Structures are given as structure tokens and as C-alpha cells.
Amino acid sequence: MNMNETFKAVRAASCRLPLLAKDTIDEVLRAVADAIPLQADELLAANAEDLARMCPDDPKYDRLKLTAERLQGIAADTRQVAELPSPLDIVLEETVRPNGLHLRKVSVPFGVIGVVYEARPNVSFDVFALCFKSGSACILKGGSDADCSNRAIVRLLHGVLERFGIDPHVVELLPPTREATAELLAAVDDVDVLIPRGGKQLIRYVRQHAMVPVIETGAGVCHTYFDISGDLSKGAAIVCNAKTRRVSVCNALDCLLIHRGRLADLAALCGPLQESRVFLYADEEAYAALQGCYPPELLQPAVAESFGTEFLDYKMAVRTVADVEEAVAHIRRNGSRHSECIVAENADTARHFCRLVDAACVYVNAPTSFTDGAQFGLGAEIGISTQKLHARGPMGLREMTTYKWLIEGNGQVRPR
């Protein structure tokens, strides 16, 4: 594959996307949703090839795996995107200047969006649906772990696009090589924005080497602080759900911070985690509180590296803090600005936590597992932005657009 020719073809295809009627875009997305169950055997067979190369104990295995049920969910998400209002041509601001100039700030497509991601084939469907609905072409750069799955998915997408007479280059899959990644990161003339989805290493690599503008998403070192005023029943349910619902996703809980005055409740707080065999790395005080109350084979003293780690596994760190200030300080040192939570009945403490914690999503008495575009009512998402420019938090359709100013005059000229 000649990368330069591919990039040029995607750019050319993107220039024609704004001419598509919004009804046609929705019809294409519904056709993709219909095609997913019809081609499920082919998709699952390709996915089985990828799974055969990965150890089932690898935390990425669950993210890589497609099932008939998961394909049904992907199809439903694609249909939901089709039903959402178009994010394009929305007037964000409008004013008439004293000289009569009429100004409108209007939402428009980015153009070409490149996405670099790891072993998550569902991302291929999500990226296409969101980019296509928001008027942009997309270049997919998946990892080698999911290459068979991704190629089968893109064949499905190309087949649907060709049926509608749409240039299939509106979605293109690059080879799963480092060379392809390097060329994508340098494609300044043909790619408008890059979005990395994956772990810290992937995001750091893209950020450090990209010449194209980057929106950071993905890495989540998430904390829950259980305050002196926390409700034990709520806390136990929140911690368990945040940690065990799906351990391989970025909104999973990595570290429990507990107020020193509630150490007597730590065993009950962590009790539900035993069923999922969650391994705890506890600081000295927390370890002492858990000894004899938590399975010894699942309990180990914490070391410095236990904190600030995104485990993506049935593992969690536990640290004792003196108060909300120390909890916030710990999060500042070790968090990734993704999702943080406080369990507290004291409203002033909760407000203080929300004001001081620097993260895209901050929860009070609800688990970080809710950080998800669908849960926020956005439909499918392209990722969780952890930066502060352009988008922050779940990136749904509106976050997949930029804007331009439209200025209408009637012969006005600017004075010298």
C-alpha cells in the first residue's frame, strides 16, 4: 500500500462528503447496522483468527473478543447514531455588527480524522459511524492483534458504501505496522486531526511524534475516595462496579483512597471484590485493616509503582489518606485526568472535591464506570478526551466537529 496515495484518496473522498444529503448518511448507517448480523459469521471467523494469537489471560483478550451478542450491540449503537440529530450546520453563535455585517459561527466537519488504536475491533465501527455522521472521512490504524477483525469490518463498510455509490475511501484501514503509524503521524497535508485510543505508551508515542494535531483519549488511572462521611452500602457497590464491571476499559477503578477514620470499614468496603478475585495492593495501614478479613492470596503490601498504574486487570491499589485534601493531592500526582469519584454524604466535602479535582469527569456517589458516551446520552463515542483543548470527556457527534465563521455583507468595506 502506497501511504501517500491512500492519504490523498481519503482527502479527495472527504471533500465530497459535505455534498451527501443527511438522509442518505443515515440510510447508509442503517444499512451498515443491517449488514453486521448478516455478516456475523465472517466477522466472528476473522476475530477467531486474532484471538488464536493471543493468550486468554491477556487483559486485552476481552477487548479483542467479538461475540454474536457484542455484534448485536455494535449494530444497535450504529442505528442509534443514525437516529441522532446531525451535528453539522448548527449555528453556535450569531450576531449582527454595528456596520451591518451578519456573523454566524457554524459547526462543520474536520475533514479527515486519523485514529490509532489497539486491540479493540469495535472501535472500527464506532469511528466510522461517528466520522461519517459528522461529515469526515477516517483513516484507521489498528494494531496487529486485531488486524484480521479490522480488515473484515472494513470490507463490510466498503461493500455498503459501494452499494450507495459512495467513494469507499471515506474509510481506509492502514497496515498494522510501525511504518504506517509513522507516515500517518506525519501526514500534515492530508490529515486534520489524530486521535489515539489505547494505553499510556500508545498515547505518549503519538503525542511525542505526531506532526498532525492530536486529541488525547484513552488512558484512565481512576480513583475513588471514600470520605469520613461516606455511606458504606453505597461505597461497596460503587467500588465493586467501578472495578469489576469490565476491568479492561479506561473507566475501570485503579485505586481506592480511604479516609483514615473509616479504616474499620475497609474490609466491608472491599468485601464484594472477593467474588471476582480482585488482587489488592494495600499501603501499610490498609493492609493491617484487611489482614484476616480479605483472602491472603489476594492481598499484598503496596509499593510505589502500585499507585498511578492503570491495571486493566482484576487488580487495585488501596491507600489511606487523612482527609479530602490529601486525597486530591494523591489524585493530582497519580491521576490521568480521566474519571475520579468521591463517596461522601457531606455536601460541602463533595463540592470541595469537585472543585479541586482536575479530571474530565468527576463523580459524587456514582462509579467511574459511567464514563461512556452512550451513558451520557451521546450515542457511540470515539473515546474519552483527557485534555483541555477542543473536547473533554466522552467525544460524541458534536465533539467530532469543528466550526467556521460565515460572514455576510452588503458591500461594506473596512475604514483605512
Side-chain angles (χ1 to χ4, degrees), residues 268-350:
L269 192 62
C270 295
L273 300 175
Q274 298 179 48
E275 184 176 346
S276 298
R277 306 291 291 171
V278 176
F279 198 100
L280 301 182
Y281 300 93
D283 71 0
E284 186 175 353
E285 292 178 82
Y287 187 88
L290 289 167
Q291 267 190 313
C293 304
Y294 200 81
E297 70 276 13
L298 298 177
L299 182 61
Q300 183 173 312
V303 294
E305 292 74 22
S306 303
F307 305 108
T309 295
E310 185 182 22
F311 289 108
L312 302 174
D313 201 351
Y314 288 95
K315 298 176 180 178
M316 187 179 79
V318 184
R319 186 180 175 209
T320 309
V321 294
D323 52 25
V324 66
E325 297 289 350
E326 190 174 347
V328 170
H330 177 95
I331 292 169
R332 283 177 181 161
R333 289 193 305 271
N334 298 283
S336 60
R337 298 179 176 177
H338 189 291
S339 300
E340 309 293 355
C341 165
I342 182 173
V343 179
E345 296 301 301
N346 185 302
D348 290 337
T349 301

Side-chain angles (χ1 to χ4, degrees), residues 68 251 263:
N251 59 25
L263 278 172

Side-chain angles (χ1 to χ4, degrees), residues 13-225:
S14 76
C15 294
R16 293 187 287 273
L17 272 177
L19 300 177
L20 283 180
K22 293 174 182 177
D23 288 346
T24 300
I25 290 174
D26 294 341
E27 194 175 349
V28 170
L29 291 174
R30 284 191 286 268
V32 168
D34 291 341
I36 292 172
L38 294 176
Q39 299 185 34
D41 289 345
E42 178 184 342
L43 294 170
L44 293 175
N47 185 244
E49 292 184 54
D50 291 328
L51 290 170
R53 298 193 304 271
M54 183 179 287
C55 174
D57 293 332
D58 190 317
K60 292 182 181 179
Y61 190 88
D62 180 61
R63 293 190 293 180
L64 174 62
K65 187 176 183 179
L66 292 176
T67 64
E69 183 179 3
R70 288 184 179 183
L71 288 176
Q72 289 174 359
I74 291 169
D77 288 343
T78 304
R79 276 196 194 87
Q80 185 179 11
V81 173
E83 300 307 316
L84 291 171
S86 172
L88 300 174
D89 303 318
I90 296 172
V91 178
L92 306 172
E93 293 182 33
E94 186 172 15
T95 185
V96 176
R97 301 298 299 151
N99 62 4
L101 285 179
H102 181 194
L103 280 68
R104 286 179 297 144
K105 182 180 177 181
V106 180
S107 61
V108 297
F110 272 110
V112 176
I113 297 173
V115 182
V116 185
Y117 55 108
E118 295 173 332
R120 298 185 69 169
N122 63 296
V123 171
S124 302
F125 281 115
D126 290 347
V127 170
F128 169 74
L130 288 167
C131 288
F132 191 67
K133 177 83 174 189
S134 58
S136 288
C138 57
I139 298 175
L140 308 175
K141 172 55 186 70
S144 58
D145 289 339
D147 189 52
C148 294
S149 304
N150 289 332
R151 282 190 281 115
I153 290 167
V154 172
R155 280 196 299 271
L156 181 154
L157 297 174
H158 282 175
V160 172
L161 290 166
E162 288 167 353
R163 286 205 328 259
F164 282 82
I166 298 170
D167 188 342
H169 285 109
V170 297
V171 53
E172 195 63 68
L173 176 69
L174 300 186
T177 63
R178 290 182 179 272
E179 292 75 16
T181 302
E183 292 199 46
L184 177 61
L185 301 189
V188 292
D189 293 329
D190 298 308
V191 180
D192 295 290
V193 65
L194 285 170
I195 302 175
R197 285 195 61 171
K200 279 185 176 180
Q201 288 186 334
L202 172 67
I203 294 170
R204 185 181 300 115
Y205 179 85
V206 171
R207 185 178 63 238
Q208 291 177 348
H209 294 88
M211 299 173 67
V212 178
V214 175
I215 298 176
E216 293 183 33
T217 74
V221 180
C222 303
H223 300 78
T224 292
Y225 166 55

Side-chain angles (χ1 to χ4, degrees), residues 221-297:
V221 180
C222 303
H223 300 78
T224 292
Y225 166 55
F226 189 74
D227 184 56
I228 187 73
S229 67
D231 179 280
L232 183 57
S233 178
K234 291 179 187 177
I238 287 168
V239 169
C240 185
N241 185 258
K243 178 68 260 182
T244 66
R245 180 189 166 272
R246 285 190 70 185
V247 297
S248 62
V249 293
C250 58
N251 59 25
L253 180 60
D254 295 297
C255 181
L256 171 63
L257 303 171
I258 183 166
H259 192 289
R260 183 169 287 114
R262 297 300 298 273
L263 278 172
D265 294 312
L266 181 58
L269 192 62
C270 295
L273 300 175
Q274 298 179 48
E275 184 176 346
S276 298
R277 306 291 291 171
V278 176
F279 198 100
L280 301 182
Y281 300 93
D283 71 0
E284 186 175 353
E285 292 178 82
Y287 187 88
L290 289 167
Q291 267 190 313
C293 304
Y294 200 81
E297 70 276 13

